[in-house]
């Protein structure tokens, strides 16, 4: 089975800078890490390879330093890596991102199964996976919490719905977005990290894509624009109230009314 896992480098904390003109994160200035949800997708791919054979490739889109998470994936057991990077890809919304990823995947190879984390911690839209499947014209199942069976041409999965579970059999090639309780991710191996620290990573820019029209990528290719991004405000002011339970409840009730949380 030829498996591809899409991963992303995300800010390691909420202390990030925002470009005042474009309104997008300055990823070059932030501490970064592998998106936690993508660890579960990677673990799923590695376990499927161990059980059914094949290969696990990883692909990411971002600035050049995003290669770090590809090497982290190598240390966990991934076989190949690809970085899609170009300044013209910057500021992409979910539509432009999924289109760029689809162009890169077509350049990278043919895959039976594409795995994505349910969402990312910097956007939380959970839309890139489904939109990527549309761009590639393959079936997609989201919220997968269990791989039940793999056959020659199909995979049977369990998908979590709002009130129940649903079992689906999907033909290859297909895309799955997996939940964080599907498997416990393994730790990176120091031995594998040493063995793969110089492994070649394929890198694609706009000129490597089948579609080289820059208006289809980045901010130009994004129909939605971010108006404002800002870190949450931290308030350290506090009050200590004393009194009986009834007095404290009445005081809290009045405060909530003054703040217009209740009427």
């Amino acid at each position: 089975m030829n498996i591809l896992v899409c991963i992303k480098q995300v800010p390691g904390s909420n202390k990030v800078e925002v470009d005042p003109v474009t309104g997008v994160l300055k990823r070059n200035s932030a501490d970064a890490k592998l998106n936690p949800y993508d660890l579960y997708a990677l673990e799923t791919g590695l376990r499927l390879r161990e059980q059914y054979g094949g290969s696990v490739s990883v692909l990411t889109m971002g600035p050049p330093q995003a290669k770090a998470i590809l090497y982290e994936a190598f240390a966990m057991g991934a076989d190949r890596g690809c970085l899609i990077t170009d300044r013209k890809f910057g500021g992409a919304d979910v539509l432009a991102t999924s289109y760029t990823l689809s162009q890169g995947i077509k350049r990278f190879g043919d895959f039976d199964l594409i795995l994505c984390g349910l969402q990312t911690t910097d956007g939380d839209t959970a839309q890139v996976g489904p939109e990527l499947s549309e761009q590639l014209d393959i079936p997609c199942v989201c919220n997968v919490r269990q791989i039940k069976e793999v056959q020659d041409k199909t995979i049977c999965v369990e998908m979590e719905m709002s009130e129940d579970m649903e079992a689906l059999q999907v033909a290859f090639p297909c895309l799955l977005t997996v939940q964080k309780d599907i498997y416990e991710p393994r730790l990176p191996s120091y031995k594998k990290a040493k063995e793969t620290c110089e492994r070649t990573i394929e890198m694609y820019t706009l000129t490597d894509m089948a579609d080289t029209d820059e208006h289809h990528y980045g901010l130009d290719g994004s129909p939605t624009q971010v108006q404002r991004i800002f870190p949450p405000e931290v308030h350290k002011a506090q009050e200590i109230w004393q009194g009986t339970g009834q007095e404290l409840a009445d005081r809290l009730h009045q405060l909530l009314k003054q703040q217009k949380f209740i009427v």
Side-chain angles (χ1 to χ4, degrees), residues 86 119 157:
D86 197 307
Q119 60 196 61
V157 301

Side-chain angles (χ1 to χ4, degrees), residues 10-120:
V10 297
S13 71
N14 62 357
K15 296 179 181 179
V16 295
E17 297 181 32
V18 179
D19 189 308
V21 177
T22 62
V24 299
L25 300 180
K26 290 184 177 180
R27 298 187 183 275
N28 292 340
S29 63
D31 292 334
K33 64 180 181 180
L34 175 58
N35 177 47
Y37 288 94
D38 296 340
L39 289 169
Y40 303 98
L42 180 55
E43 180 64 28
T44 301
L46 296 173
R47 296 205 185 197
L48 288 172
R49 184 192 62 188
E50 292 167 356
Q51 186 172 358
Y52 300 101
S55 66
V56 174
S57 302
V58 285
L59 177 144
T60 191
M61 169 183 161
Q65 60 265 31
K67 286 198 293 186
I69 63 170
L70 296 176
Y71 284 109
E72 183 178 346
F74 292 159
M76 293 178 66
D79 302 299
R80 299 170 59 217
C82 174
L83 171 63
I84 302 173
T85 183
D86 197 307
R87 288 187 178 275
K88 294 182 175 63
F89 299 155
D93 68 356
V94 292
L95 181 63
T97 297
S98 62
Y99 183 73
T100 307
L101 290 173
S102 71
Q103 289 288 301
I105 290 172
K106 292 174 182 177
R107 180 79 166 76
F108 194 31
D110 295 323
F111 299 94
D112 303 301
L113 178 64
I114 299 176
L115 297 169
C116 301
L118 183 65
Q119 60 196 61
T120 60

